[in-house]
């Protein structure tokens, strides 16, 4: 079969709406210079081992970066940027690509001057330096950190065109740290101590109230991410890890933990991170991040460029209440669903990777993914959430995302009828 | 360190705790002695705050609006300010003291924070112009929206609803696109790395 007739065959198959595998391979007419010509990297020596003491990605990957949306906030120092989810695979976010959310810019804390204080309703208020913290028994755990406002711009409808912008206020890394429980035990929590106030050392002096049960359960005082010390923008040298709970509570540059007998109701849990409902009332202390997923490829920033035929759909899913045993995928806007293939490790309150391989016939697609978590919770549609919460709750939008893919493979952020 | 621990860390000194433990609670715990009146607060606000928050707390540009907005919480465009939304006065004192002015945090004296807080209350029509906010008068102030917050109730209102069997086949008769992001066209251009360099 000649190349021309093959193309006609493919086009004919697409027009006929054949869902069957089109299979086969493209045929080369002329020899490929990528094979027949000697490339410089095969002829000349490359850089030596002394060229890059701390390596960076390939020069061809410079587009894989965090991006911000200037109109979202008044100032870049109290703002957010976005993880390029559409360029990543697996479940681990590279440290340099982990989204940032600061309220007073990046604090550059000198580790020699780092101190952590525990005070309040404890037997002995204590001060630790970094070396003290590193002498406690450590744990390694992989957890997602999702900003409570992730997808918040999408409450009123499709707004930003790309999963980096609609879903990229999230990262998933391995944390190394000390269980917060051990530090509290060292100070000795008094019986009346039922709440903690975690406070940061940055210019916003970030504070959040955390119930004691969570602190004693699975919180970590972490100093490493993906094996190396925390990045400055992620709280160097020490941050709080609050698995499954909204990112705001993961206080960075952690300098103090106070034990008290009631919550503090500080700015970040009254003015912010409270969820307004249509009746004018607001939920407070909405800590858990519910089960959520998004298809990262294809997506608006990652169109299908290879034409019809065999393709890989991929995405990520996570839940603040457990693991993700199952993700469903639809190609037709929710009329029919198939179970995606989960791949890679499944950790509690961690990102999970899913794939769905299929033969694309070249017709338009309406792609959605629907996460199921280990509690039996199923990711709702945006309309199901709006039915309960209205459109002005800002935070905790875990509604199902739709991408419309056209015949050219270009994807767009859309909403569809329910 | 206490018995049974690892013997790590050292006891915090009272001066150290006093330097860092600046948090204020709704019941007034943590409030230092001091006071400030509305008109002293106005002078301080104009000098230190108005360039971002406006002379009357109306907000300049995209900076936060601090005053008014009462009655908007049920509208399509809620204006959440100290007066219309914030449940506790302690939060105003605490936050202004710990984090404002933006870029020069913890530069205000206790009396200055009392005065600025009094002025913000006045801008929100919560107190009269002769009001003096102090550690004693603090408890008299009633915040209009204090009763409008309730504990996360997703366990009752959402989790059962969202934990049902799902439809897998023939779930929708007709699927229509109802909204497109491209129509808005507010996404930063992906190809232009200059602005993100």
């Amino acid at each position: 079969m000649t190349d021309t007739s093959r193309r006609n065959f493919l086009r004919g198959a697409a027009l006929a709406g054949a869902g069957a595998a089109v299979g086969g391979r493209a045929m080369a007419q002329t020899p490929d210079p990528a094979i027949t010509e000697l490339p410089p990297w095969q002829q000349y020596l490359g850089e030596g081992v002394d060229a890059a003491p701390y390596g960076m990605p390939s020069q061809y990957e410079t587009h894989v970066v965090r991006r911000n949306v200037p109109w979202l906030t008044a100032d870049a120092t109290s703002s957010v940027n976005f993880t390029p989810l559409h360029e990543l695979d697996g479940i681990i976010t590279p440290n340099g690509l982990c989204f940032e959310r600061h309220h007073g810019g990046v604090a550059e804390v000198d580790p020699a001057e780092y101190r952590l204080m525990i005070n309040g309703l404890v037997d002995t208020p204590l001060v630790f330096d970094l070396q003290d913290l590193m002498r406690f028994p450590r744990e390694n755990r992989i957890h997602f950190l999702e900003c409570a406002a992730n997808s918040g711009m999408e409450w009123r409808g499709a707004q930003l065109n790309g999963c980096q912008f609609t879903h990229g206020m999230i990262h998933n890394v391995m944390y190394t740290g000390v269980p917060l429980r051990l530090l509290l035990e060292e100070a000795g929590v008094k019986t009346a101590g039922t709440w903690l106030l975690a406070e940061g050392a940055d210019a916003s002096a970030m504070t959040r109230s955390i119930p004691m049960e969570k602190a004693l359960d699975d919180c970590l005082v972490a100093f490493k991410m993906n094996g190396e010390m925390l990045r400055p923008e992620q709280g160097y040298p020490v941050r709080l890890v609050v698995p499954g709970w909204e990112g705001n509570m993961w206080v960075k540059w952690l300098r103090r933990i106070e034990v008290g007998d009631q919550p503090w109701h500080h700015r970040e849990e009254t003015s912010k991170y409270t969820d307004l409902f249509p009746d004018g009332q607001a939920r407070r202390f909405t800590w858990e991040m519910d089960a959520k997923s998004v298809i990262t490829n294809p997506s608006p920033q990652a169109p299908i460029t290879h034409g019809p035929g065999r393709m890989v759909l991929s995405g990520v899913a996570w839940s603040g209440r457990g693991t993700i045993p199952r993700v469903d995928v639809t190609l037709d806007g929710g009329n029919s669903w198939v179970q995606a293939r989960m791949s890679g490790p499944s950790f509690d309150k961690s990102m999970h990777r899913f794939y769905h391989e299929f033969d694309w016939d070249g017709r338009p697609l309406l792609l959605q993914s629907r996460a199921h978590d280990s509690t039996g919770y199923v990711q709702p549609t945006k309309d199901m959430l709006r039915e309960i919460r209205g459109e002005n709750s800002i935070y905790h939008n875990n509604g199902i995302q739709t991408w419309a893919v056209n015949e050219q493979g270009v994807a767009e952020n859309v909403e569809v009828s329910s | 360190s206490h018995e049974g621990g690892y013997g790590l860390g050292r006891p915090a000194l009272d001066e150290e705790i006093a330097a860092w433990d600046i948090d204020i609670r709704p019941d007034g715990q943590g409030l230092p002695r001091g006071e400030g009146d509305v008109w002293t607060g106005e002078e301080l606000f104009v000098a230190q705050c108005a360039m971002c928050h406006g002379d009357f707390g109306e907000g300049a540009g995209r900076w936060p609006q601090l005053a008014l907005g009462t009655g908007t919480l049920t509208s399509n465009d809620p204006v959440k300010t100290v007066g219309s939304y914030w449940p506790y006065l302690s939060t105003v004192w605490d936050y202004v003291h710990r984090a404002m002015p933006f870029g020069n945090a913890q530069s205000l004296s206790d009396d200055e924070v009392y005065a600025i807080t009094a002025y913000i209350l006045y801008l929100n029509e919560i107190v009269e112009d002769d009001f003096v906010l102090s550690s004693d008068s603090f408890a008299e102030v009633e915040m209009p929206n204090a009763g409008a917050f309730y504990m996360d109730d997703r366990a009752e209102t959402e989790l059962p609803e969202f934990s049902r069997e799902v439809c897998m086949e023939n779930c929708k008769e007709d699927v229509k696109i109802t909204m497109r992001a491209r129509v808005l066209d507010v996404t930063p251009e992906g190809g232009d790395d200059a602005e993100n360099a």
Side-chain angles (χ1 to χ4, degrees):
Chain A
M1 192 184 284
T2 66
D3 193 46
T4 313
S5 63
R6 165 160 298 280
R7 247 183 253 128
N8 286 339
F9 168 75
L10 290 174
R11 196 170 293 130
L15 285 173
V22 285
R25 293 168 182 80
M27 302 286 282
Q29 281 184 321
T30 55
D32 184 354
I35 296 170
T36 57
E37 290 176 16
L38 189 65
W41 53 82
Q42 197 163 21
Q43 188 165 22
Y44 308 117
L45 299 177
E47 286 189 325
V49 296
D50 53 353
Y54 197 110
M56 292 292 287
S58 159
Q59 59 176 304
Y60 303 107
E61 298 295 325
T62 53
H63 56 289
V64 183
V65 289
R66 297 184 283 224
R67 294 184 189 279
N68 67 316
V69 179
W71 57 261
L72 274 183
T73 52
D75 188 275
T77 55
S78 182
S79 193
V80 66
N81 62 23
F82 301 88
T83 302
L85 293 177
H86 60 294
E87 296 284 356
L88 304 179
D89 216 316
I91 64 167
I92 296 295
T93 315
N95 287 341
L97 295 177
C98 289
F99 88 99
E100 303 168 72
R101 202 313 184 209
H102 318 305
H103 294 74
V106 179
E108 295 283 352
V109 177
D110 178 350
E113 290 181 38
Y114 174 78
R115 303 288 183 271
L116 174 63
M117 181 184 289
I118 297 184
N119 73 307
L121 296 178
V122 293
D123 297 331
T124 312
L126 293 175
V127 172
F128 302 102
D129 63 20
L130 194 53
Q131 194 176 31
D132 293 330
L133 293 181
M134 291 186 166
R135 295 168 70 192
F136 280 90
R138 294 173 207 174
E139 282 189 19
N140 290 294
R141 284 198 256 115
I142 295 176
H143 293 300
F144 74 85
L145 184 171
E146 183 183 17
C147 179
N150 199 21
S151 315
M153 297 84 76
E154 304 290 308
W155 271 113
R156 292 190 180 194
Q159 180 159 233
L160 288 162
N161 218 13
C163 68
Q164 178 168 20
F165 301 107
T166 57
H167 290 74
M169 293 188 211
I170 188 168
H171 47 73
N172 198 65
V173 306
M174 175 174 283
Y175 294 98
T176 306
V178 179
L180 177 54
R181 175 177 55 80
L182 295 183
L183 302 181
L184 291 169
E185 284 173 4
E186 195 75 14
V189 175
K190 292 183 186 297
T191 314
T194 50
W195 287 83
L196 304 182
L197 185 74
E199 181 177 74
D202 61 320
S204 78
M206 172 64 61
T207 43
R208 282 298 301 258
S209 301
I210 299 170
M212 184 62 74
E213 305 86 69
K214 181 66 173 176
L216 298 179
D217 179 19
D218 61 357
C219 290
L220 290 180
V221 172
F223 37 80
K224 298 208 171 180
M225 57 192 292
N226 290 336
E228 64 179 1
M229 285 299 289
L230 298 176
R231 292 293 170 90
E233 66 270 28
Q234 302 300 341
Y236 179 90
V238 173
R239 87 171 310 160
L240 196 59
V241 169
V242 191
W245 288 21
E246 60 187 14
N248 181 256
M249 305 176 82
W250 298 48
V251 174
K252 298 187 284 191
W253 315 288
L254 182 70
R255 79 165 191 176
R256 194 169 66 90
I257 290 174
E258 182 173 344
V259 179
D261 59 1
Q262 52 182 278
W264 278 258
H265 297 288
H266 275 186
R267 190 251 196 178
E268 309 295 330
E269 53 205 18
T270 54
S271 170
K272 307 297 178 184
Y273 306 100
T274 51
D275 311 350
L276 180 63
F277 272 47
D279 64 358
Q281 306 266 311
R283 281 180 182 157
R284 64 157 60 110
F285 298 142
T286 46
W287 297 312
E288 289 95 347
M289 301 305 293
D290 283 318
K292 187 168 175 179
S293 66
V294 65
I295 294 169
T296 56
N297 305 82
S299 63
Q301 297 158 286
I304 305 171
T305 55
H306 52 58
R310 199 68 187 155
M311 68 166 290
V312 173
L313 178 156
S314 180
V316 283
W318 60 93
S319 170
R321 301 183 195 267
T323 60
I324 300 286
R326 170 180 166 189
V327 174
D328 303 328
V329 169
T330 176
L331 309 182
D332 59 13
N335 183 43
S336 60
W337 296 81
V338 291
Q339 282 197 37
R341 185 172 62 85
M342 308 304 297
S343 175
S346 171
F347 297 116
D348 187 42
K349 305 176 181 76
S350 164
M351 244 185 210
H352 293 60
R353 174 63 59 174
F354 65 87
Y355 297 103
H356 176 60
E357 295 88 358
F358 67 103
D359 290 305
W360 181 41
D361 60 12
R363 285 186 297 183
L365 303 168
L366 288 172
L367 303 178
Q368 298 180 339
S369 61
R370 182 172 68 187
H372 300 239
D373 78 13
S374 49
T375 72
Y377 176 101
V378 184
Q379 183 183 2
T381 64
K382 291 182 187 176
D383 283 339
M384 289 164 76
L385 288 173
R386 290 186 193 120
E387 182 91 6
I388 296 171
R389 304 186 197 169
E391 296 183 344
N392 289 315
S393 54
I394 299 179
Y395 307 105
H396 293 280
N397 182 355
N398 66 318
I400 288 173
Q401 174 67 48
T402 311
W403 306 128
V405 179
N406 69 14
E407 293 91 335
Q408 284 74 47
V410 174
E412 185 185 3
N413 176 10
V414 301
E415 295 219 4
V416 293
S417 53
S418 43
Chain B
S1 290
H2 88 112
E3 223 173 304
Y6 294 96
L8 295 168
R10 62 162 176 84
L13 303 179
D14 290 343
E15 298 91 324
E16 294 172 331
I17 295 172
W20 275 12
D21 184 352
I22 60 172
D23 51 78
I24 315 298
R25 281 195 331 201
D27 61 1
Q29 188 193 76
L31 265 183
R33 302 293 303 174
E35 63 171 40
D37 62 77
V38 168
W39 297 119
T40 306
E42 187 213 23
E43 281 180 40
L44 289 162
F45 193 91
V46 167
Q48 304 244 31
C49 319
M51 68 283 282
C52 293
H53 296 295
D55 282 348
F56 305 101
E58 74 277 17
R62 295 194 49 100
W63 297 101
Q65 180 174 341
L66 304 184
L68 306 179
T70 305
T72 66
L73 296 185
T74 55
S75 75
N76 286 333
D77 190 17
V79 180
K80 298 192 284 186
T81 71
V82 170
S84 71
Y85 193 65
W86 291 35
Y88 302 112
L89 178 59
S90 58
T91 315
V92 186
W93 205 103
D94 176 272
Y95 185 69
V96 170
H97 179 239
R98 76 170 51 244
M100 290 290 129
F102 194 64
N104 191 22
Q106 299 191 32
S107 61
L108 298 168
S109 72
D110 291 346
D111 285 346
E112 287 174 331
V113 176
Y114 275 109
I116 289 170
T117 304
Y119 184 62
I120 293 171
L121 290 173
Y122 171 69
L123 290 177
N124 279 287
E125 299 172 351
I126 294 169
V127 300
E128 300 294 322
D129 65 358
D130 60 353
F131 183 71
V132 181
L133 181 66
S134 69
S135 30
D136 296 321
S137 69
F138 180 85
E140 298 164 15
V141 180
E142 286 178 34
M143 298 294 278
N145 202 43
F149 293 81
Y150 59 95
M151 190 69 190
D152 181 7
D153 65 349
R154 281 176 290 175
E156 296 81 47
T157 58
E158 294 184 9
L159 300 194
E161 179 73 17
F162 298 160
S163 301
R164 300 183 192 282
E165 284 294 306
V166 294
C167 175
M168 296 297 286
E169 285 294 337
N170 301 315
C171 306
K172 291 178 172 183
E173 282 185 11
D174 187 25
V175 182
K176 287 193 180 69
I177 293 177
T178 56
M179 192 176 289
R180 295 175 173 274
R182 195 165 294 156
V183 174
L184 281 175
D185 196 23
V186 290
T187 310
E189 290 303 316
D192 179 10
D193 290 336
E195 67 186 275
N196 294 294

